């Protein structure tokens, strides 16, 4: 049986359909989840998609974390449910305390959309197990508040525990501390990533290729084997 | 309730002598007389406000109507489902799908307040598309600015680009193309045109007609404030002595989040078949929506103005009707469906208010706390506005311009440096600085976007059905010859679309001109519309809609006439799209079409000599059609590796762009005729550069000769530099540096570059609308 | 309404939110750097934060301040990167 | 330095920038509308602006205020849509 992966739609979510497509192309069954619904319909994993939840006017992800769906996500993530936050989803994960640190305004003050070279730093998470550590991939970034910040001690801890899962190569598109593009929680089931793997799943679409598909096949494989 | 007594219909009937400030509202004396005749009395203050808006140039098209009729007379083809006149034209693309697309201007607001002006330009055109029943799926932004190094361009351009991005990105619409053009004629009057395209099942097309007595008129979306009430604010000061707070018309501020919710709510309503008619609120706000829906339905309507949710309680009836607050729609709903509509609105957090009903008869009646302030035949506002045949004269300076001597040609030894200067010049340099601020990939169907000739978007994942879109306009060509200029713009957009392998099927346009009261401008306008209509007939691409923007001028100087033409193309399988860049080493480089010495109005003459004179390149639409056929067939039969149309900057520019795309160089041998300078920089129309694998070369060249299309093998892709034999050789890295450095040097570094950021002072108050 | 019920009134409260000093403020930095080129007096420091004006219905000013503080802590401020102050508008 | 030269000191000045009252404030609206669902006390109004903290070197407070006003007018504030206030921090 294929795994069912939920994609939460908040008001202002934009990449929800893209995330669903990525799940489908990876071989899973996407399930649309609604922010007002605390019931996660028994999905095997959850994706918080990119976008501008609530317009992101106050602070990216600040309001979305209060959604009933998020209460369930936080609770079930604590019990090991794989959760992937992409871009705005990463911001929501930080706001809701599932991941440390915060995402602030890009250092150059502009929204930036470009194909970005990344190094997968750790294959030790539910969403990156299909890559090998050190592997280079190209995935698009597109964000205005993608600059990852955290206290030095937190950064050191993330590095020390191998919890930085992806790093920007070449130029750092938003000024992130230590070129961090994505991190995971200690257990490895919760991952936040600023670039958009769901936009790199078909060679025909965009210019980045299909390097991002691995995030979705990784989780599907880990769900089948566990 | 309003503090002042309002001017009711009965009061107006009994006080014919009251003097009214019609001329301050932009109405002519005879127009005011016509209003009194229509009503059989003087208009109330509120009615006067409504007529002044609806009979303005912007809403009534009073100067352009007689010319635009030519577009309506064009053969419709068998794809057009809805033509001009509705909010946007609708084209059948097969597989049960239809697309609707349109381009509109937001020039003046974007000069006053670049960020918000451009942002609300996107918001407005997206609502036009939504109104037709379609899900908006992409935007494009043809932009024009003053000189790149003019200080005011530093204020205007970053704000406009941030505004387009801020709104479009937050709506989740990929930006798949546009234009950035610099010319001093746009100093003080930048052009911000915005295009949107939407997709729908054919049976979901919505119309704006309000029908069915007893049906409810529902206002959806944002609260109404004193946004953009413009000229109408004189009514306040003309009637009341004290200048209350916030009488000044205010800039419209966009709320893309509210619009995103409005889109999702409306689409769910359409799918559930809950609305009988729908109309967006754009320019002229409620006035326009109420009159157009009732006029289109040949129905009566009653609106209770005090029910409209307001941002400021002190607003007067005429202000509520004139407000251009963004992110609002007007839906006509049966009483049975009203609860479901309200529930869907609630689901998406959209305000929904029943403000009126469709009535017997044919009067639009607006009440304010039960007092009748408007009682008019809606058609008199929406359809029967004044129509002018404005006087026209050929510009006095045109002969001198056309016969101006061209600057001397450079020697062959100078061409290497010239090439590097040209690819770095503001109009030819890389647009990366602009487009990196736009989300180009959201929705996951963008097949081609910047820097390709046309944007290509997939409509169906199952079949690969897709569309291509390009916009073009060349104000210098149109200045030298508006008839030819309009056709050259059409031909270029057509060629761009065909270069991707798509069959061009329909046209939209945004006609940006100076004042119609200037006979020379009016002549330019008439010539351009005639040229466009003739061109569309020749290419069998019907005009589905468009927009006219007049009064683009500073003091007495008009902008270069700038018809911006958008061409829609169709691909039955986007996997067959042809990219613009060289793909592989060792492929044949073929030049299609014919090069003549055509440098009048060229980028070379302008960039090197600030010279604008001579005649624009000759137009041969039959040649364009054949070239298009060859490009489409070449893509269908899998013969082409790349195709790139020639336009601004000529062959030189296209060689550089094609080589930089994937870092594949070329060795070129130019034809002997005309000499290397003309071969490289002439802007003859009807040409494209293609690459084909050796194995396909013969088949392809035979196809060209069968169709009578000149095709010359001019070289081979090779190495990592651009070499033109006996003329120049430049490593691609040197070209790339020159091509990419210009805009960052002018407007600030790109993301990730080490130099400090430039301050963004035009962003919204929070400065945080970045995502 | 009986006399014993508290009288509610609208209180204007301001919450100012600033990035913590150790967090980079690129917007402030950009403005600071631009000052000299605009012919403006140089500043020694310049930081840009958010200014939130609230109209709160409460029985007294203290309650309104309390409510605003709660709102700041829960929603308006991200304590990982931001500090805030709350004050009544006169 | 002679005694007659003015003594320069650092003054902390705040410029608060708000959208004009008649201008839509999407940020404030989005937060205001979300409040009830977050279990927070409702507000009657909520508007979000910018709070700019400046450290200015000037001979006296008045000069610092003047400098800040100039900066606001030229750079910090978009007069088409925003108003501002300037004050000294104690
Ligand atoms: N304002 C803009 N927004 C988005 N894309 C743009 C913009 N300006 C230019 N582009 C893109 O940059 C590329 C080059 O533009 P241009 O030189 O005008 O193309 P062409 O000459 O083929 O019409 C095209 O892909 C175009 O769509
Ligand atoms: Mg082109």
């Amino acid at each position: 049986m294929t795994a069912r992966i939920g994609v939460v739609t908040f008001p202002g979510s934009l990449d929800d359909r893209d995330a669903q497509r990525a799940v489908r192309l990876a071989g899973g069954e996407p399930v649309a989840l609604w922010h007002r619904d605390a019931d996660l319909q028994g999905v095997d994993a959850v994706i918080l998609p990119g976008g501008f939840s609530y317009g992101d006017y106050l602070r990216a992800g600040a309001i979305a974390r209060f959604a009933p769906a998020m209460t369930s996500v936080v609770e079930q993530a604590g019990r090991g449910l794989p959760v992937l936050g992409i871009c705005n989803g990463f911001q929501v994960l930080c706001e809701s305390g599932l991941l440390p640190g915060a995402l602030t305004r890009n250092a150059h003050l502009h929204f930036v959309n470009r194909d970005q070279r990344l190094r997968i730093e750790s294959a030790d998470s539910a969403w990156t197990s299909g890559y090998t550590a050190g592997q280079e991939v190209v995935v698009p970034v597109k964000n205005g508040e993608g600059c990852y910040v955290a206290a030095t001690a937190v950064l050191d801890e993330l590095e020390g525990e191998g919890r930085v899962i992806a790093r920007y190569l070449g130029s750092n598109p938003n000024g992130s501390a230590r070129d961090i593009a994505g991190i995971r929680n200690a257990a490895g089931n919760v991952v936040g990533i600023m670039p958009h793997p769901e936009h790199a799943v078909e060679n025909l679409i965009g210019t980045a290729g299909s390097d991002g598909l691995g995030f979705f096949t990784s989780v599907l494989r880990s769900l089948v084997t566990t | 309730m309003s503090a002042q007594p309002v001017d009711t219909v009965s009061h107006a009937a009994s006080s014919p002598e009251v003097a009214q400030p019609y001329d301050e509202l932009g109405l002519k004396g005879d127009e005011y007389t016509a209003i009194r005749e229509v009503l059989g009395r003087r208009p109330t203050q509120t009615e006067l406000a409504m007529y002044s808006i609806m009979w303005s140039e912007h809403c009534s098209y009073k100067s352009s109507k007689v010319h635009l009729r030519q577009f309506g007379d064009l053969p419709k083809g068998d794809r057009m489902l809805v033509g001009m006149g509705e909010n946007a034209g609708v084209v059948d693309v097969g597989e049960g799908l239809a697309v609707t697309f349109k381009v509109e201007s937001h020039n003046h607001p974007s000069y006053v307040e670049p960020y918000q002006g451009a942002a609300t330009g996107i918001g407005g055109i997206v609502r036009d598309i939504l109104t037709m029943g379609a899900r908006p799926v992409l935007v494009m932004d043809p932009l024009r600015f003053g000189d790149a190094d003019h200080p005011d361009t530093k204020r205007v351009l970053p704000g406009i680009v941030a505004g387009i991005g801020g709104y479009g990105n937050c709506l989740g619409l990929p930006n798949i193309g546009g234009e950035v053009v610099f010319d001093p004629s746009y100093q003080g009057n930048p052009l911000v045109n915005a295009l949107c395209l939407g997709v729908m099942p054919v049976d979901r097309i919505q119309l704006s007609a309000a029908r069915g007595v007893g049906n409810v008129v529902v206002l959806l979306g944002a609260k109404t404030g004193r946004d953009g009430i413009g000229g109408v604010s004189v009514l306040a000061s003309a009637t009341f002595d004290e200048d209350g707070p916030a009488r000044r018309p205010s800039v419209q501020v966009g709320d893309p989040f509210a619009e995103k919710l409005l889109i999702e709510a409306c689409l769910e309503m359409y799918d559930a078949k809950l609305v009988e008619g729908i109309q967006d609120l754009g320019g002229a706000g409620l006035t326009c929506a109420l009159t157009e829906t009732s006029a289109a339905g040949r129905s009566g309507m009653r609106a209770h103005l005090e029910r409209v949710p307001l941002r400021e309680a002190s607003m007067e009836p005429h202000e509520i009707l004139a407000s251009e607050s963004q992110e609002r729609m007007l839906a006509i709903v049966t009483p049975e469906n009203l609860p479901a509509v309200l529930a869907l609105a609630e689901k998406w957090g959209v305000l929904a208010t029943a403000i009126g009903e469709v009535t017997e008869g044919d009067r639009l009646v607006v009440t304010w706390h039960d007092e009748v302030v408007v009682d008019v035949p809606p058609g008199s506002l929406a359809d029967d506005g004044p129509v002018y045949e404005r006087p026209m004269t050929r510009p006095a300076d045109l002969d001198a311009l056309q016969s101006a001597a061209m600057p001397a040609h450079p020697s062959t030894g100078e061409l290497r440096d010239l090439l590097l200067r040209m690819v770095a010049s503001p109009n030819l340099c890389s647009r990366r600085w602009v487009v990196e601020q736009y989300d180009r990939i959201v929705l996951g169907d963008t097949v081609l976007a910047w820097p390709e000739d046309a944007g290509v978007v997939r409509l169906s994942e199952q079949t690969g059905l897709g569309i291509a879109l390009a916009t073009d306009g060349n104000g210098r060509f149109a200045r030298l010859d508006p008839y030819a200029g309009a056709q050259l713009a059409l031909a270029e957009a057509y060629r761009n679309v065909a270069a991707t392998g798509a069959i061009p099927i329909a046209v939209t346009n945004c006609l940006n001109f100076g004042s119609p009261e200037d006979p020379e401008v009016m002549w330019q306008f008439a010539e351009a519309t005639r040229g466009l209509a003739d061109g569309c007939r020749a290419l069998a691409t019907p005009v589905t809609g468009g927009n006219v923007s007049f009064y683009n001028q500073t003091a007495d100087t008009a902008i270069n006439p700038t018809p911006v033409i958008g061409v829609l193309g169709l691909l039955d399988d986007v996997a067959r799209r042809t990219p613009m860049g060289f793909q592989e080493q060792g492929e044949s480089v073929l030049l299609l079409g014919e090069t003549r010495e055509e440098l009048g109005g060229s980028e070379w003459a302008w960039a090197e000599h600030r010279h604008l004179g001579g005649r624009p390149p000759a137009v041969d639409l039959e040649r364009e059609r054949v070239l298009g056929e060859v490009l489409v067939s070449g893509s269908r039969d899998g013969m082409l590796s790349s195709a790139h149309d020639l336009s601004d900057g000529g062959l030189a520019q296209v060689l550089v762009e094609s080589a930089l795309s994937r870092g594949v160089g070329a060795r070129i041998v130019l034809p002997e005729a005309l000499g290397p300078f003309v071969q490289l920089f002439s802007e003859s129309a009807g040409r494209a550069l293609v690459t084909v694998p050796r194995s396909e070369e013969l088949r392809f060249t035979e196809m060209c000769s069968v169709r009578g299309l000149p095709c010359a093998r001019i070289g081979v892709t090779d190495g990592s530099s651009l070499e033109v034999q006996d003329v120049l050789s430049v490593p691609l890295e040197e070209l790339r540096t020159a091509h990419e450095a210009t805009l960052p040097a002018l407007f600030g570094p790109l993301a990730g570059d080490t130099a400090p950021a430039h301050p963004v002072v035009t962003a919204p108050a929070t400065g945080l609308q970045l995502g | 309404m009986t006399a014993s019920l508290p009288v509610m009134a609208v209180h204007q409260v301001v919450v100012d939110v600033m990035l913590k000093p150790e967090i980079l403020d690129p917007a402030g930095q950009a403005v600071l750097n631009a000052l000299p080129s605009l012919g403006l007096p140089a500043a020694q420091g310049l930081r840009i934060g958010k200014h939130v004006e609230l109209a709160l219905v409460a029985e007294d000013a203290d309650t309104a301040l309390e409510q605003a503080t709660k709102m700041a802590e829960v929603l308006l401020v991200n304590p990982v990167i931001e500090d805030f102050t709350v004050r009544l508008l006169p």
Side-chain angles (χ1 to χ4, degrees), chain A, chain B, chain C:
Chain A
M1 222 186 71
T2 59
R4 298 169 67 245
I5 301 193
V7 177
V8 182
T9 297
F10 300 97
S13 289
L14 305 177
D15 300 309
D16 42 352
R17 263 166 287 224
D18 305 58
Q20 290 173 19
R21 180 192 288 117
V23 167
R24 187 157 35 76
L25 292 175
E29 180 193 336
V31 178
L33 301 175
W34 181 238
H35 71 113
R36 273 192 197 169
D37 228 334
D39 179 4
L40 301 185
Q41 302 180 32
V43 293
D44 303 302
V46 166
I47 298 174
L48 307 180
F52 290 72
S53 54
Y54 296 89
D56 274 359
Y57 296 124
L58 174 68
R59 217 172 48 245
I63 300 179
R65 78 160 164 111
F66 292 96
M70 276 313 294
T71 311
S72 307
V73 167
V74 170
E75 183 194 297
Q76 295 188 33
R79 292 193 255 117
L81 180 79
V83 179
L84 175 67
I86 305 171
C87 193
N88 195 225
F90 187 8
Q91 293 157 343
V92 176
L93 288 176
C94 289
E95 285 281 338
S96 59
L98 282 177
L99 291 174
L103 292 140
T104 60
R105 191 163 178 191
N106 291 351
H108 51 85
L109 303 172
H110 294 298
F111 184 95
V112 60
N113 176 191
R114 63 164 68 138
D115 293 340
Q116 178 70 41
R117 261 190 330 125
L118 302 176
R119 187 169 55 232
I120 302 293
E121 297 283 19
S122 161
D124 229 2
S125 83
W127 301 88
T128 54
S129 55
Y131 296 94
T132 48
Q135 186 176 344
E136 288 190 15
V137 298
V138 176
V139 168
V141 286
K142 44 164 211 171
N143 61 67
E145 292 182 54
C147 175
Y148 183 74
V149 299
T152 310
V154 173
L155 292 172
D156 289 343
E157 188 183 323
L158 287 171
E159 301 274 10
E161 297 177 0
R163 288 169 53 194
V164 173
I165 59 117
R167 226 184 280 275
Y168 299 116
L169 292 179
S171 75
N172 176 334
N174 43 36
S176 271
R178 304 190 190 177
D179 297 332
I180 288 175
I183 58 172
R184 65 165 172 87
N185 66 351
N189 61 317
V190 179
V191 165
I193 177 122
M194 196 31 69
H196 289 258
E198 85 284 18
H199 286 312
V201 292
E202 292 180 88
N203 287 328
L204 178 66
I205 300 299
T207 42
S210 55
D211 286 354
L213 200 58
F215 279 81
F216 309 95
T217 51
S218 292
V219 77
L220 288 170
R221 219 178 39 193
S222 74
L223 288 169
V224 171
T225 51
T226 53
Chain B
M1 205 194 288
S2 152
Q4 274 82 20
V6 292
D7 187 18
T8 61
V9 166
S10 54
H11 180 241
S14 63
S15 57
E17 72 295 344
V18 168
Q20 297 190 284
Y22 61 85
D23 56 342
E24 280 143 286
L25 289 167
L27 287 164
K28 301 271 184 291
D30 49 352
E31 292 173 345
Y32 178 67
T33 311
I35 296 168
R36 294 188 70 131
E37 261 161 38
V38 168
L39 298 177
R41 57 171 163 79
R42 75 162 175 87
T44 65
Q45 190 185 74
T46 310
E47 289 166 341
L48 183 64
M50 294 172 77
Y51 278 99
S52 79
I53 303 167
M54 291 302 288
W55 286 13
S56 70
E57 187 66 55
H58 181 69
C59 293
S60 73
Y61 286 75
K62 57 188 167 191
S63 305
S64 55
K65 228 175 201 163
V66 295
H67 301 281
L68 298 180
R69 284 191 188 129
Q70 299 169 83
F71 301 151
D73 296 342
L74 291 171
K76 301 272 173 294
D78 44 13
R79 293 192 175 273
M80 192 135 66
L81 300 174
V82 175
M84 289 172 30
E86 275 291 336
N87 289 287
V90 180
V91 178
D92 188 343
V93 293
E95 300 185 15
L97 294 178
V99 303
T100 177
F101 72 124
K102 188 177 175 189
V103 57
E104 249 184 20
S105 69
H106 226 219
N107 304 339
H108 298 117
S110 303
Y111 181 66
V112 176
E113 171 33 43
Y115 185 99
Q116 297 297 345
T120 52
I122 294 287
I125 191 67
V126 166
R127 284 194 301 281
D128 266 322
I129 295 310
L130 175 64
T131 299
M132 297 309 300
R135 171 178 283 282
V137 297
L138 63 87
V139 295
M140 298 177 81
D141 61 329
L143 308 176
R144 280 160 181 79
F145 304 97
D147 274 326
D149 55 4
H150 191 286
D152 200 49
T153 303
K154 283 201 174 48
R155 170 186 75 96
V156 170
L157 182 144
I160 285 174
V161 170
I164 303 247
Y167 206 100
N169 297 344
C170 191
L171 276 188
L173 296 179
N175 184 311
I176 62 151
E179 297 166 76
V180 177
V181 176
F182 300 98
D183 187 285
S185 88
Y186 308 113
Q187 193 65 61
N189 200 123
L191 302 186
V192 175
N193 293 177
L195 180 149
C196 180
L197 177 140
V199 190
M200 66 195 128
V202 170
D203 58 11
R204 202 174 71 193
I205 296 176
Q206 304 291 319
L207 296 173
S208 59
R211 294 218 173 84
V213 172
N215 282 347
V216 186
V217 179
V218 181
L219 183 60
L220 296 166
K223 288 186 183 171
T224 299
R226 284 198 171 93
D227 307 64
I229 52 176
V232 169
S233 60
V234 304
L235 278 173
S237 43
T239 323
F240 313 113
D241 356 281
E242 96 272 28
D243 223 10
R247 287 293 188 208
R248 284 190 321 127
S250 64
V251 168
Q252 305 150 43
V253 168
D255 182 350
F257 172 57
E259 179 126 320
K260 168 72 177 164
L261 301 181
L262 195 56
I263 291 173
E264 299 302 335
C266 285
L267 289 173
E268 287 200 16
M269 290 174 197
Y270 301 159
D271 279 336
K273 302 202 175 358
L274 295 178
V275 302
E276 308 301 307
I278 187 140
Q279 172 71 39
D280 64 299
L281 276 73
L286 259 183
T287 294
C288 184
L290 293 172
T291 53
E292 289 196 346
T293 50
S294 49
R298 306 191 179 287
S299 307
M301 187 178 282
R302 174 181 285 263
H304 309 266
L305 225 44
E306 72 284 353
R307 296 187 192 165
V308 173
L310 300 179
R311 286 212 313 271
E312 291 180 81
S314 62
M315 286 177 73
E316 308 275 336
H318 68 265
E319 292 178 309
I320 298 170
L321 282 166
S323 162
E324 297 190 348
S325 286
Q326 301 290 296
E327 293 94 22
R328 297 179 299 163
M329 302 278 279
L330 192 76
I332 313 296
V333 176
T334 64
E336 305 81 74
N337 285 336
L338 184 62
V341 164
L342 298 180
L344 269 180
E346 195 278 337
K347 171 184 172 188
W348 284 101
V350 169
L351 208 54
T353 315
I355 62 161
E357 55 275 334
V358 179
T359 56
E360 298 277 2
D362 57 2
R363 305 289 287 191
L364 169 63
V365 176
V366 178
T367 56
W368 175 244
H369 299 283
D370 295 331
E371 297 199 277
V372 177
V373 292
V374 174
D375 183 348
V376 296
S380 69
L381 285 145
D383 307 319
D384 309 333
V387 175
Y388 293 133
E389 302 226 16
R390 301 257 191 210
M392 310 187 276
T393 19
R394 190 167 183 279
D397 63 359
L398 204 51
D399 285 332
L401 262 182
Q402 289 181 344
S403 55
M406 292 303 293
H409 295 181
S411 69
T412 302
E414 292 169 298
L415 294 184
R416 187 183 194 276
D417 287 350
L418 176 62
L419 177 71
L420 285 164
R421 282 200 305 278
M422 289 296 286
V423 298
S425 68
N427 284 332
L428 298 179
C429 69
S430 167
R431 271 62 185 120
R432 178 186 298 279
W433 190 92
V434 171
V435 297
E436 277 201 341
Q437 298 188 45
Y438 301 154
D439 188 340
R440 310 186 294 281
I441 52 179
V442 60
L443 299 180
D445 287 310
T446 304
V447 178
L448 298 178
W450 170 83
E452 300 288 341
D453 283 328
V456 170
V457 169
R458 178 174 66 185
L459 303 182
S460 164
E461 238 177 298
Q462 284 72 42
T463 66
L465 176 72
I467 53 95
L469 256 178
T471 71
D472 281 294
N474 187 316
R476 287 197 310 264
F477 289 166
R479 175 74 172 89
L480 295 177
D481 181 344
Y483 181 89
Q487 294 197 339
L488 283 164
L490 170 68
E492 188 183 343
Y494 183 94
R495 217 183 305 136
N496 275 312
V497 162
T500 66
I503 302 172
I505 57 169
V507 163
T508 184
N509 66 87
C510 188
L511 305 174
N512 305 276
F513 285 77
S515 165
E517 294 160 47
D518 175 342
E520 297 193 343
V521 169
M522 212 50 226
W523 180 85
Q524 293 175 324
F525 183 79
E527 283 295 286
T529 46
R530 192 169 65 84
L532 180 58
D534 289 351
C536 288
R537 183 172 291 109
L539 293 174
T541 47
V543 175
T544 60
N547 172 244
V548 176
S549 173
F550 277 132
Y551 298 103
N552 291 291
Q553 49 184 63
T554 26
D556 285 341
T557 317
I559 60 163
N560 283 344
T562 311
V564 169
I565 314 298
V567 170
L568 173 74
L570 197 56
L571 280 143
D572 42 19
D573 183 1
V574 289
R576 285 244 176 271
R577 88 291 184 209
T578 313
M580 56 89 106
F582 298 152
Q583 299 294 301
E584 311 237 5
Q585 304 275 344
E587 298 195 324
S588 298
V589 179
L590 309 176
L591 177 60
L592 311 182
E594 204 176 327
T595 306
R596 291 174 292 267
E597 179 174 333
E598 295 184 301
L599 291 151
S602 69
E603 202 53 55
W604 164 75
W606 182 256
E608 288 285 306
H609 303 283
R610 298 287 271 193
H611 181 278
L612 172 56
R615 288 197 174 265
V619 185
D620 178 348
L621 294 170
E622 180 50 23
R623 170 57 58 79
E624 299 288 354
R625 209 184 50 72
V626 171
L627 174 67
E629 268 178 26
V630 163
L631 291 168
V632 171
S633 303
S635 133
R636 287 236 167 132
D637 297 346
M639 289 186 265
L640 294 175
S641 296
S642 74
H644 194 357
D645 84 294
L646 270 68
S647 57
D648 311 4
L651 178 61
Q653 179 72 11
V654 159
L655 286 170
V656 171
E657 289 175 356
S658 300
L660 290 182
S661 168
R662 291 170 54 119
V664 175
R667 270 185 295 121
I668 301 297
V669 183
L670 293 174
E672 291 281 318
L674 304 173
F677 165 70
V678 173
Q679 287 288 348
L680 285 172
F681 293 97
S682 166
E683 297 186 3
S684 295
R687 297 183 299 162
L689 189 77
V690 301
T691 54
V692 295
R694 294 273 163 103
S695 56
E696 299 291 345
E697 189 172 337
L698 190 60
R699 192 154 71 108
F700 184 81
T701 51
E702 275 177 356
M703 176 172 76
C704 292
S705 65
V706 166
R707 298 182 196 234
L709 180 67
C711 168
R713 184 175 194 280
I714 62 164
V716 59
T717 56
D718 181 51
S720 55
S721 55
L722 178 63
E723 201 185 314
V724 181
Q725 191 174 297
D726 301 330
V727 179
L728 56 84
S729 172
V730 194
L732 295 189
E733 276 324 298
E734 192 177 347
L735 285 169
R736 189 184 303 284
T737 306
H739 190 47
E740 300 226 322
T742 310
L743 294 186
L746 287 163
F747 302 109
L750 290 166
D753 287 358
T754 40
H758 279 212
V760 182
V761 284
T762 43
T766 54
L768 289 172
Q769 198 187 324
L770 286 164
Chain C
M1 212 195 279
T2 74
S4 67
L5 277 180
V7 184
M8 304 299 269
V10 177
H11 300 267
Q12 305 286 340
V13 186
V14 168
V15 181
D16 285 320
V17 185
M18 292 299 282
L19 286 168
K20 288 181 196 270
E22 68 270 23
I23 303 277
L24 180 71
D25 166 24
Q29 217 42 53
V31 173
L32 188 64
N33 294 338
L35 291 174
S37 66
L38 293 172
L40 289 167
Q44 221 172 51
L46 190 159
R47 292 179 69 80
I48 303 184
K50 277 175 281 204
H51 176 81
V52 186
E53 290 187 4
L54 293 160
L56 296 173
V57 183
E59 62 202 83
D60 56 32
D62 280 350
T63 316
L65 279 176
E66 244 167 62
Q67 287 187 1
T69 307
K70 172 114 190 280
M71 248 179 232
E73 286 167 353
V74 175
L75 177 66
L76 300 176
V77 178
N78 179 347
V80 176
I81 48 170
E82 294 167 331
D83 295 326
F84 70 97
T85 58
V86 180
R87 68 192 159 90
L88 272 181
L89 273 195

